[in-house]
Amino acid sequence: MDRPRYAAYQAVAAVNRDDAYANLVLPSILREEGLFGRDAAFATELTYGTLRHSGTLDAILTSAAGRDVQRIDPPVRDALRIGAYQLLHTRVPAHAAVSSTVDLVRMVGQGATGFANAVLREVAACDLDTWVSRLAPSMETDPIGHLALAHSHPQWIVRAFSEALDGDLGETTRLLIENNERPPVHLCARPGLADPVELADASGGAPGAFSPYAVYLGGGAPGDVAAVADGRAHVQDEGSQLVANALAVAPIDGPDGRWLDLCAGPGGKAGLLGALAAQRDARVTAVEVAEHRARLVEGATRGLPVTVLHTDGRLVGAEPKLPEGHFDRVLVDAPCTGLGSLRRRPESRWRRQPSDLPALTRLQRELLTAGLRAVRPGGVVAYVTCSPHTVETHVTVTEAARRSGASVDFVDARPLLPAGMPGLGDGPTVQLWPHRHGTDAMFLAVLRRG
């Protein structure tokens, strides 16, 4: 058995069968299979590519098989997806993609080799553009449906992106294309502990385009970078760095020693805020409701002026260590659909549903309202989500501010980001985008308590 392809199969099957996460299961599979270097890279490409493109691959396999792909035995279906991905998205010769997939099917779905061979040869008869033109709705009559199949995103997500981009289908298309690219790894050089230029040199990377702490890793495992291993740097998308730093640089009057991260897990933003606080004689209270994530925050902030509380952030005023009107700066990095990080989490686009939104947006409003109770008059709250969906961004912020009962003013967030950043809109809120800024699609609103 071809070990890279079998490793990819195991990862894809675990994601689809067990609701596993590719970034968690694949590293252990690669170790078990003894794969390194080019073999590990090929297995990773097959895994992530297959998961990203599975919506389009399923439509093509349904047509090629003459039956709905959901009626195909799951192990065979996953193997066919990997084979179809090779045929349509890689330079693997067709004969190699077909024969290796048939071998894989022989191992995981005995008796289906003839079926797999016939289906894959049908897939190989056309290139991807031909399949899309054959199967996708017309761009003129159903642009959302066309883009969804052409770029392998659920229609409801394409519609949400389009609405957030003011209906600009050209920009929506560029975003979908970017979501299907393999994103670079971003490191954060913790201020006062690591210099980004020196970190870039040591890691073979390059300084980030916007964040003063960002480094784009050139290749290799982040854990092999000495500064990451010893806690002077951590892995963090540049957009997350920018929104956390925006809270730290927002102007306030009066004392500035008590900061609050209300939804701190897994600890990336708390780590950056803690490093910044250490330079300014401030302290961060980091709140996390899930015990295992609270432990992650403790690990991520070790040695920094950060106190971790394992409690619910909505208990501001009821929890003695979270008094009302006490904090100078508050970060509310609320749980969300994660639609802004689809390029990093290939399976999430197929797991999230519109039905997830009501419970999430209610939680977002409750957390932001708690954050507004926690901040003192004259202090600031940064509301952040890794989603551009308008009900998780503008609607949540507007509703929470209205329901809080406090006097709240929006602060223009654009000047809180580095000068010269393009595409920040009209304010006062900011939406970052993968296709504009090379970051996850982070949303930022900054509110000052009156």
Side-chain angles (χ1 to χ4, degrees), residues 154-210:
Q155 288 196 29
W156 76 274
I157 293 180
V158 177
R159 187 172 294 108
F161 287 163
S162 175
E163 290 172 356
L165 289 164
D166 298 321
D168 188 323
L169 294 178
E171 264 215 278
T172 303
T173 301
R174 290 193 291 276
L175 171 60
L176 299 176
I177 291 171
E178 189 66 28
N179 273 351
N180 288 334
E181 295 295 323
R182 184 178 180 181
V185 175
H186 294 173
L187 302 180
C188 176
R190 292 184 170 182
L193 298 174
D195 180 87
V197 175
E198 293 176 0
L199 177 58
D201 290 341
S203 64
F210 302 115

Side-chain angles (χ1 to χ4, degrees), residues 1-9 42 46 76 78-87 90 92-108 113 116-117 120-121:
M1 174 54 57
D2 182 292
R3 288 191 302 158
R5 289 178 171 89
Y6 183 53
Y9 167 79
F42 184 51
L46 291 184
V76 176
D78 287 334
L80 288 174
R81 287 168 171 162
I82 293 171
Y85 177 76
Q86 293 173 72
L87 288 168
T90 75
V92 174
H95 67 87
V98 172
S99 64
S100 62
T101 305
V102 170
D103 289 342
L104 182 58
V105 169
R106 183 176 292 111
M107 183 178 182
V108 303
T113 54
N117 184 70
L120 291 172
R121 290 186 179 279

Side-chain angles (χ1 to χ4, degrees), residues 31-52:
R31 286 194 299 269
E32 291 168 5
E33 294 295 326
L35 297 178
F36 306 95
R38 293 178 64 183
D39 286 344
F42 184 51
T44 301
E45 166 66 14
L46 291 184
T47 300
Y48 278 73
T50 298
L51 292 171
R52 284 192 188 100

